[in-house]
């Protein structure tokens, strides 16, 4: 079943086509990876798929609903959550509060109830809190519950964003380079986390430069180069595609297949 | 062109030129440091008041003007060194409050050094009005327009051709990168405050013979300069000039044709309307934010 | 842990209530009471403004406009049309809320210094209208306002007003703290921290900004109405740009994103000028210097800095890295 589908998607920045005429669909339950050299347009594509950028042309369908031109919070309300390559953590809050923000959509709380502190609110807050604590344990942040976000190490912040995304109870999660800047152990943990997500039924879109990670977890891979679709298919298919090899390693190296663990 | 219209036009351009100078000061400091200097108006006051008191003790006008501009620039350096530099990294609002504190301090000092009276400065070349297209113009207005034009040309040359000017521009685009290519960012910051202060002082001196000067002239002129800088697009030099002239003209026309009590209301309503359609001003950069 | 949080919330309020209750012991004469009342009224505005500036990170340099509309609205309805004061204040507050909503919708799309300019322009427009429409407002000379009376009981005298304002302040603080600790408050702080981050978490940032703008305007309007009835007189002085700046300064001085900071800021900056009259002609110099030095050496404001000294972080989390106006940029639309 198709969860998300895009048609003729493009984004221009003052003449630069960062994403050009993309057309693909993501099946529910898949781990769908997007790879490509630096500047290929991966982040731009994620921004388009979450409403952060409005496409120059094209359409985005989520479960046959046209979301083109909607605001990011409307994408979130449909069940699309994400993390950022350039962290968008709330540094003015504690780690747990960061995650609790993710529960916003599911908290039924009117403004009067909040301002006058109705007793029902206290109960709901307790529930939210314990649920978010569980999520933090799930992503391996059990040690950071009360830590101020601006006192956390980089690797923990990346997982904090994942926890916040999960708190929205998404159907689709888009992860922008979740393993970038992590050490090998942390990378393995992220690898395991993605598998856990996929198993729990959440569809995952993964942007990542770490080929070992990508080749290991992906059901389907989309390769971008200069904003265009270079290749698409299973890990096996993409790995052998000469155009992909050329884009990554230059024409000279196209004799050798992309080895797992290569790339920047 | 009716005489009335010509009159409003000339008044508008004169006032607008002054606003443009103040707005340029805002933009230059903003570019170098991302600080909105709410003490910008005080430079205007220092320029006017210093010139008045130096000519009063017998200094020739050109010398007094030169000294006043230097004095303002020194105050600008001091502001950067002792108030803005130590607060590096503070939030935008905190920096705004610091510069507001500085403006109160400077106004307080002005009442001590001088007084709370209104002072007139002699016009640069007499008071006999000139008739243009049925409108009358005091010669000082020509000085205002002429010197503003010269300054705009000088600034264009400065930013386009000189090393310091380019260093200023580079710093505004990317502070870290500027530092990496060997630009001394601290000197650039100092220079930007000095330059802005000098511009403000020139504005204050030019306008003093027309509107008089006093310890608190800077308040309103500073506010209008900020409005002009925003209207034109913060950080844009041509924007500051355009914003200043537009604001001056709107005020003059609004006062002439609609209501003088509501001239500022008209001006601000138009600014709000412009911002509604162009959230970064007339000539501000409209880039998509990267995330 | 949860209990500790709850406890700290009510204990802060209890401490403030204690101060309000015990302060009269130190107030020796009517003048002291007057200053205390002034502190309370300013503090109410600042608590509301802090929701906007400190928590949501949106600047306003025009809140004196809302304060003035609250004052003049109530004054005009009671003095010119003979309305009962409470009804006048209620209707005025609703009117101000509606106006803030209408203005807030377009204005709050602006960011940083552009928002500062827009709110400043809004405030100046209001102040000019107030000063010019002298038929209604008495112009620059101001107008007198009937005393506040509720069901025939007239509030008169500093002592009575002290308690009126004291209770109003406590309610204002209670409501603000409740809001901050709710999902709505979290949403506000989140969009301050990162607007894109908040949006993708499902928060409609535009809606939240407008709401908190309206709430802060209501705080200002109520304080304005109370001020008018307390003083028995309103002048355009309280509607000016300077008063707006004063209010923002109080918030920042006391400490952004700290409700008690806003109260402390209002207290210090309302009493300081009274104390500085001792310095006579040096008053402005000293005031400006105090403002600068405090903000340079305590950029996070008085209360958060002092709280950090005692290692008891005030409020949840730490002070923000980039409070007010800036923040990480929201999505391009
Ligand atoms: N907001 C923007 N304004 C202008 N140009 C942009 C913007 N965002 C991205 N670009 C440009 O679009 C192109 C694609 O950038 P993008 O960040 O999507 O690449 P990427 O594939 O994510 O690269 P990386 O692997 O380095 O993260 C680049 O040329 C970039 O400079
Ligand atoms: Mg990227």
């Amino acid at each position: 079943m198709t969860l998300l589908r895009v048609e003729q998607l493009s984004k221009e920045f003052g003449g630069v086509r960062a994403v050009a005429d993309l057309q693909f669909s993501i099946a529910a339950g898949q781990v769908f990876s997007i790879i490509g050299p630096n500047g290929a347009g991966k982040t731009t594509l994620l921004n388009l798929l979450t409403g952060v950028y409005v496409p120059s042309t094209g359409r985005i369908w989520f479960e046959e609903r046209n979301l083109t031109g909607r605001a990011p919070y409307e994408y979130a309300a449909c069940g699309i959550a994400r993390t950022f390559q350039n962290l968008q953590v709330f540094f003015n809050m504690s780690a747990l509060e960061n995650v609790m923000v993710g529960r916003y959509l599911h908290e039924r709380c009117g403004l009067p109830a909040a301002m006058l502190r109705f007793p029902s609110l206290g109960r709901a807050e307790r529930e939210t809190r314990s649920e978010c604590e569980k999520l933090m344990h799930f992503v391996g942040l059990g040690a950071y519950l009360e830590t101020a976000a601006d006192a956390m190490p980089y690797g923990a912040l990346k997982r904090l964003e994942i926890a916040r995304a999960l708190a929205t109870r998404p159907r689709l999660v888009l992860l922008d380079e979740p393993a970038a800047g992590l050490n090998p152990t942390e990378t393995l943990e992220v690898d395991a986390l993605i598998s856990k997500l996929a198993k729990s039924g959440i569809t995952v879109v993964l942007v990542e430069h770490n080929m070992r990670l990508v080749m290991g977890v992906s059901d389907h891979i989309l390769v971008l180069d200069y904003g265009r679709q270079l290749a698409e298919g299973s890990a096996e298919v993409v790995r052998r595609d000469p155009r992909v090899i050329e884009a990554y390693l230059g024409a000279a190296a196209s004799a050798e297949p992309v080895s797992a663990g290569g790339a920047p | 062109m009716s005489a009335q219209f010509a009159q409003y036009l000339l008044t508008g351009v004169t006032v607008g030129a002054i606003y443009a100078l103040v707005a340029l000061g805002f933009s230059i400091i903003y570019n170098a440091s991302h600080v909105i200097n709410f003490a910008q108006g005080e430079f205007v006051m220092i320029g006017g008041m210093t010139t008045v008191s130096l000519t009063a003790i017998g200094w020739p006008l050109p010398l007094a003007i030169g000294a006043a501009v230097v004095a303002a620039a020194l105050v600008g350096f001091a502001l950067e060194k002792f108030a803005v530099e130590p607060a590096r990294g503070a939030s935008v609002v905190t920096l705004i409050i610091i510069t507001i504190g500085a403006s109160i301090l400077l106004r307080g000092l002005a009442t001590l050094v001088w007084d709370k009276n209104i002072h007139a400065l002699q016009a640069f070349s007499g008071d006999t009005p000139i008739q243009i297209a049925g409108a009358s113009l005091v010669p000082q207005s020509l000085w205002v327009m002429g010197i503003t034009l010269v300054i705009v040309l000088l600034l264009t040359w400065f930013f386009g051709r000189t090393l310091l000017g380019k260093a200023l521009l580079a710093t505004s685009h990317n502070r870290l990168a500027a530092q990496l290519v060997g630009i001394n960012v601290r000197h650039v910051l100092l220079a930007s405050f000095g330059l802005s202060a000098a511009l403000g002082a020139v504005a204050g001196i030019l306008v003093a013979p027309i509107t008089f000067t006093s310890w608190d002239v800077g308040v309103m002129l500073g506010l209008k300069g900020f409005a002009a800088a925003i209207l034109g697009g913060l950080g844009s030099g041509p924007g500051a000039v355009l914003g200043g002239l537009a604001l001056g003209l709107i005020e003059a026309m609004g006062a002439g044709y609609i209501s003088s009590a509501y001239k500022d209301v008209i001006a601000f309503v138009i600014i709000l309307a412009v911002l509604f359609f162009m959230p970064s001003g007339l000539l501000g950069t409209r880039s998509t934010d990267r995330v | 842990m949860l209990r500790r949080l709850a406890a700290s919330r009510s204990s802060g309020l209890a401490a403030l209530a204690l101060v309000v209750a015990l302060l009269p012991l130190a107030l020796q004469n009517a003048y002291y009471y007057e200053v205390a009342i002034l502190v309370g009224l300013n503090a109410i505005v600042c608590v509301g403004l802090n929701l906007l500036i400190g928590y949501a990170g949106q600047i306003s340099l025009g809140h004196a406009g809302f304060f003035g509309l609250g004052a003049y609205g109530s004054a005009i309805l009671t003095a010119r049309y003979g309305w009962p004061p409470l009804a006048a204040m209620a209707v005025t507050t609703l009117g101000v809320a509606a106006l803030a909503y209408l203005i807030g919708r377009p204005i709050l799309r602006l960011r940083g210094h552009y928002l500062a300019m827009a709110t400043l322009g809004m405030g100046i427009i209001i102040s000019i209208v107030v000063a010019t429409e002298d038929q209604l407002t008495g112009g620059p000379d101001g107008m007198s306002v009937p005393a506040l009376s509720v069901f025939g009981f007239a509030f008169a005298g500093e002592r009575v007003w002290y308690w009126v304002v004291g209770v109003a302040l406590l309610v204002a603080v209670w409501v603000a703290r409740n809001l901050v600790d709710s999902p709505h408050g979290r949403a506000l702080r989140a969009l301050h921290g990162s607007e894109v981050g908040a949006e993708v978490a499902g928060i409609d940032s535009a809606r939240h900004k407008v709401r908190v703008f309206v709430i802060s305007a209501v705080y200002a309007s109520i304080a304005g109405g109370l001020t008018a009835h307390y003083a028995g007189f309103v002048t355009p002085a309280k509607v000016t740009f300077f008063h707006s700046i004063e209010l923002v300064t109080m918030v920042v001085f006391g400490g952004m994103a700290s409700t008690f900071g806003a109260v402390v800021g209002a207290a210090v900056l309302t009493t300081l000028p009274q104390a500085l009259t001792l310095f006579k002609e040096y008053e402005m110099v000293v005031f400006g210097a105090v403002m600068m030095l405090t903000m340079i050496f305590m950029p996070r404001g008085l209360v958060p800095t002092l709280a950090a000294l005692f290692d008891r972080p005030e409020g949840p989390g730490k002070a923000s890295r980039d409070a007010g106006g800036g923040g990480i940029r929201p999505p391009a639309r």
Side-chain angles (χ1 to χ4, degrees):
Chain A
M1 194 196 75
T2 299
L3 191 63
L4 183 127
R5 182 161 57 86
V6 308
E7 288 169 359
Q8 301 298 323
L9 199 63
S10 306
K11 179 67 181 176
E12 283 186 28
F13 295 109
V16 180
R17 296 190 91 190
V19 162
D21 291 326
L22 291 187
Q23 190 133 359
F24 61 86
S25 52
I26 299 173
Q30 269 187 342
V31 174
F32 184 103
S33 290
I34 301 168
I35 61 171
N38 292 108
K42 305 179 295 292
T43 299
T44 306
L45 177 57
L46 249 53
N47 284 336
L48 290 170
L49 295 183
T50 50
V52 173
Y53 289 164
V54 177
S56 306
T57 65
R59 277 194 217 120
I60 299 166
W61 302 82
F62 186 73
E63 295 189 311
E64 299 313 308
R65 270 187 69 188
N66 186 352
L67 288 184
T68 321
R70 296 302 180 90
Y73 72 90
E74 293 174 293
Y75 280 75
C78 289
I80 302 178
R82 72 173 285 184
T83 65
F84 292 88
Q85 182 178 2
N86 300 325
L87 294 175
Q88 298 292 334
V89 170
F90 311 128
F91 285 113
N92 52 343
M93 302 165 93
S94 75
L96 182 62
E97 285 175 317
N98 265 270
V99 183
M100 287 170 80
V101 170
R103 296 282 292 118
Y104 175 83
L105 282 168
H106 302 281
E107 287 170 308
R108 307 254 155 271
C109 164
L111 201 54
M115 294 172 84
L116 303 178
R117 192 126 197 122
F118 289 180
S120 59
L121 181 63
R123 228 167 0 215
E125 283 283 89
R126 271 193 297 278
E127 262 166 43
T128 302
R129 186 172 282 271
S130 73
E131 207 167 317
C132 292
E133 283 173 358
K134 270 185 219 139
L135 269 176
M136 286 186 69
H137 285 291
F138 179 75
V139 300
L141 290 180
Y144 291 104
L145 291 182
E146 287 302 316
T147 313
D150 61 1
M152 288 167 72
Y154 184 74
L157 291 174
K158 294 223 113 175
R159 273 177 287 169
L160 184 63
E161 281 208 340
I162 298 180
R164 181 177 75 197
L166 294 180
T168 65
R169 293 186 185 152
R171 318 265 307 284
L172 173 66
V173 180
L174 303 94
L175 307 174
D176 199 349
E177 308 205 4
L182 301 191
N183 64 35
T185 333
E186 289 174 319
T187 306
L188 280 182
E189 285 167 8
V190 167
D191 194 342
L193 189 58
I194 293 171
S195 305
K196 266 202 284 184
L197 290 185
K199 253 186 229 115
S200 71
I202 299 174
T203 310
V204 178
V205 170
L206 174 67
V207 169
E208 187 49 67
H209 281 300
N210 184 327
M211 284 306 141
R212 192 190 300 273
L213 180 65
V214 169
M215 294 300 167
V217 299
S218 310
D219 298 306
H220 197 91
I221 299 176
L222 170 70
V223 189
L224 294 185
D225 192 23
Y226 294 108
R228 300 189 171 278
Q229 176 173 332
L230 196 65
E232 199 191 336
S234 68
E236 224 22 61
V237 172
V238 166
R239 200 202 302 263
R240 301 194 186 292
D241 194 310
R243 285 167 303 177
V244 178
I245 297 162
E246 192 179 315
Y248 264 86
L249 301 174
S254 51
E256 278 177 58
V258 177
S259 61
Chain B
M1 194 164 64
S2 80
Q4 202 181 30
F5 180 80
Q7 185 70 60
Y8 299 151
L9 190 69
L10 290 174
T11 314
V13 173
T14 307
V15 179
I18 296 294
Y19 292 165
L21 288 180
V22 183
L24 279 170
F26 272 105
S27 273
I28 289 170
I29 288 184
Y30 176 80
N31 270 344
S33 63
H34 283 245
V35 171
I36 283 292
N37 173 28
F38 274 88
Q40 188 66 27
E42 287 1 287
F43 299 140
V44 176
M45 176 271 291
I46 291 171
M49 290 298 283
T50 310
T51 312
V52 166
S53 53
L54 289 182
T55 48
I57 58 168
W59 288 41
L61 187 64
L63 205 59
I65 290 175
V69 172
V70 170
L74 289 178
V75 173
F77 289 147
L79 182 65
E80 201 283 328
K81 189 107 188 81
F82 299 116
V84 175
E85 185 63 38
R88 269 226 72 76
S91 73
V92 174
V93 196
T94 303
L95 281 163
I96 288 182
I97 303 293
I98 290 175
T99 59
I100 289 174
S103 84
I104 296 176
L105 176 76
L106 288 174
R107 252 179 281 148
L109 287 175
T111 62
L112 295 178
V113 174
W114 296 294
D115 49 32
K116 288 198 170 189
N117 300 328
I118 293 172
H119 297 270
L121 180 65
Q122 70 193 83
F124 294 5
S125 50
D127 295 312
T128 326
I130 309 160
Q131 300 299 321
I132 301 174
S136 76
L137 186 72
V138 288
Q140 187 67 23
S141 283
L142 290 178
W143 280 104
V144 171
M145 296 177 207
I147 291 185
T148 303
L149 185 66
V150 169
I151 285 179
V152 168
L153 293 176
L154 277 178
L155 284 178
T156 314
W157 168 80
F158 174 71
F159 284 111
R161 291 270 179 273
T162 68
L163 208 57
L164 181 59
K166 287 183 178 171
L168 264 162
L169 279 183
T171 309
S172 79
H173 286 302
N174 190 332
R175 191 186 164 88
L176 188 64
Q179 220 153 9
L180 289 177
V181 298
I183 294 171
N184 187 332
V185 172
R186 295 196 47 190
H187 287 177
V188 164
L189 282 180
L190 268 180
S192 74
F193 273 77
L195 181 58
S196 296
L199 285 179
V202 170
I205 297 163
L206 285 174
V207 82
I210 303 177
T211 60
F212 304 120
T213 189
S214 64
W215 65 284
D216 62 352
V217 277
V219 178
M220 232 20 212
L221 279 171
L223 218 59
K224 293 290 173 59
F226 176 44
I230 289 281
L231 176 62
L234 205 47
S236 155
V241 176
L242 181 66
L245 289 176
L247 189 59
L249 285 171
I250 293 168
E251 271 183 31
M253 298 292 165
Y257 288 114
I258 305 175
S259 149
S260 66
Y262 279 121
K263 73 174 177 16
D264 286 343
V265 170
I266 297 163
F268 280 113
V269 165
I270 290 179
I271 291 175
L272 289 181
V274 168
L275 291 183
F276 180 73
F277 293 105
M278 301 176 172
S280 37
L282 293 170
L283 300 182
T285 44
R286 262 175 290 279
S287 65
T288 315
D289 296 317
R290 286 174 191 239
V291 287
Chain C
M1 201 274 326
L2 199 68
R3 210 173 303 124
R4 204 191 68 213
L5 237 168
S8 85
R9 197 179 63 239
S10 44
S11 72
L13 195 65
L16 184 63
L18 204 66
V19 171
V20 171
L22 295 184
L23 192 62
L25 297 178
L27 302 176
Q28 291 153 11
N29 55 37
Y31 169 69
Y32 283 14
Y33 269 96
E34 207 180 298
V35 175
I37 291 166
L38 223 57
V39 167
L41 290 167
N42 281 336
I44 293 174
V45 187
C46 289
V47 167
L49 193 55
N50 186 37
L51 292 173
L52 180 73
I53 298 180
Y55 288 104
Q58 309 298 310
I59 190 150
S60 168
L61 297 183
H63 258 55
F66 295 128
F67 179 89
L69 286 179
Y72 273 97
S74 200
I76 291 167
L77 288 179
T78 46
R80 305 254 191 269
Y81 298 97
W83 284 38
L86 268 191
M89 274 177 67
V91 168
T92 302
T93 304
L94 282 178
V96 169
L99 184 73
Y101 179 80
L102 289 178
I103 297 175
R105 283 292 293 256
I107 273 188
L108 288 161
R109 300 186 327 153
L110 301 172
R111 290 190 237 139
H113 296 111
Y114 290 91
L115 179 62
M117 178 69 240
T119 48
L120 190 155
M122 171 202 82
I124 290 182
I125 291 172
I126 294 175
S127 76
I128 293 176
V129 172
V130 164
T132 311
E133 294 301 314
D134 47 5
Q135 299 276 332
L136 218 49
T137 62
D141 300 334
M143 66 184 285
S144 46
V145 190
L148 182 65
S149 62
V150 179
F151 305 120
F153 176 78
F155 291 86
E158 262 72 31
R159 269 151 227 273
V160 177
W161 269 97
Y162 176 84
W163 294 112
V164 172
V165 172
V167 170
L169 175 62
L170 287 174
V171 172
V173 169
W174 180 69
V175 169
R177 304 264 296 169
N178 285 346
L179 184 72
V180 169
D181 276 341
S182 76
H184 296 280
R186 258 198 312 273
L188 291 180
R189 286 186 285 143
L191 72 86
H192 185 184
S194 160
E195 203 164 314
V196 206
E199 283 262 340
V200 301
I203 291 162
D204 179 351
S205 56
R207 180 148 160 266
H208 276 277
K209 285 186 200 170
V210 173
R211 270 210 225 169
V212 72
F213 188 68
V214 170
I215 292 172
S216 65
V218 164
Y219 268 77
S221 168
I222 291 175
L226 285 174
T227 307
H229 288 293
Y230 160 66
F233 205 78
V234 276
T235 66
K238 285 279 186 145
V239 197
T240 55
F241 165 66
F242 301 103
H243 192 50
S244 290
I245 295 289
E246 241 173 4
L247 294 169
V248 174
T249 306
M250 288 173 186
V251 170
V252 181
F253 190 92
M256 284 185 287
S258 157
T259 302
F260 294 113
V263 176
V264 171
V268 173
L269 290 184
T270 310
T271 44
L272 190 64
Q274 312 283 341
L276 288 185
T277 47
L278 293 175
F279 289 93
K280 300 216 178 69
E281 66 266 41
Y282 295 97
E283 188 186 329
M284 272 208 297
V285 174
V286 177
F287 188 77
V290 169
M291 248 169 98
M292 288 173 71
L293 292 176
T294 316
M295 294 329 295
I296 290 171
F297 294 109
M298 304 183 176
R300 293 167 52 199
L302 220 51
V303 169
T305 308
L306 294 180
L309 272 185
F310 293 105
D311 203 23
R312 282 259 325 264
E314 205 272 350
K318 284 211 206 151
S320 56
R321 280 181 179 166
D322 181 16
I328 294 166
R329 291 302 165 77
R333 300 292 308 154

